[in-house]
Amino acid sequence: DIERLVAKLHGAREHRGKVPRAVEAERARRHQAALLHDELDKAVDEERFEEAAALRDRIRALEEPPKKGAESRAGEGERHD
């Protein structure tokens, strides 16, 4: 069966290779935003409203779509010899 063949060749039944940088960056942004949402909920529950406002602003910044061309400039200056 094909699944056993793939598992034998690759050591797993599903792909576990590299992820494109843009995808990984987006995943990290979403994860960070989710963590900040949890902190925000806790801050509001504890009536720490100034901290909650700062968390809200950080979440908004993370959830904004990246500006056009920002990803292509992210690697500028890096050498890949």
Side-chain angles (χ1 to χ4, degrees):
D1 138 91
I2 191 75
E3 285 186 23
R4 281 187 285 161
L5 178 61
V6 170
K8 183 178 178 182
L9 291 172
H10 297 286
R13 291 182 178 222
E14 56 190 50
H15 177 69
R16 295 183 189 260
K18 293 183 179 181
V19 176
R21 287 182 188 179
V23 172
E24 185 60 34
E26 179 60 27
R27 183 183 299 162
R29 256 193 316 277
R30 283 194 310 253
H31 178 73
Q32 184 65 32
L35 293 175
L36 290 174
H37 272 287
D38 292 342
E39 288 184 43
L40 174 63
D41 291 341
K42 185 176 178 182
V44 170
D45 289 344
E46 296 174 359
E47 298 181 4
R48 294 180 282 123
F49 300 116
E50 289 181 17
E51 182 180 343
L55 289 166
R56 177 205 59 210
D57 294 343
R58 288 176 60 192
I59 292 166
R60 283 182 181 167
L62 284 170
E63 292 178 342
E64 283 180 7
K67 293 185 176 27
K68 190 173 184 178
E71 289 180 20
S72 64
R73 288 191 305 270
E76 282 184 10
E78 292 181 19
R79 294 185 61 158
H80 302 281
D81 293 334

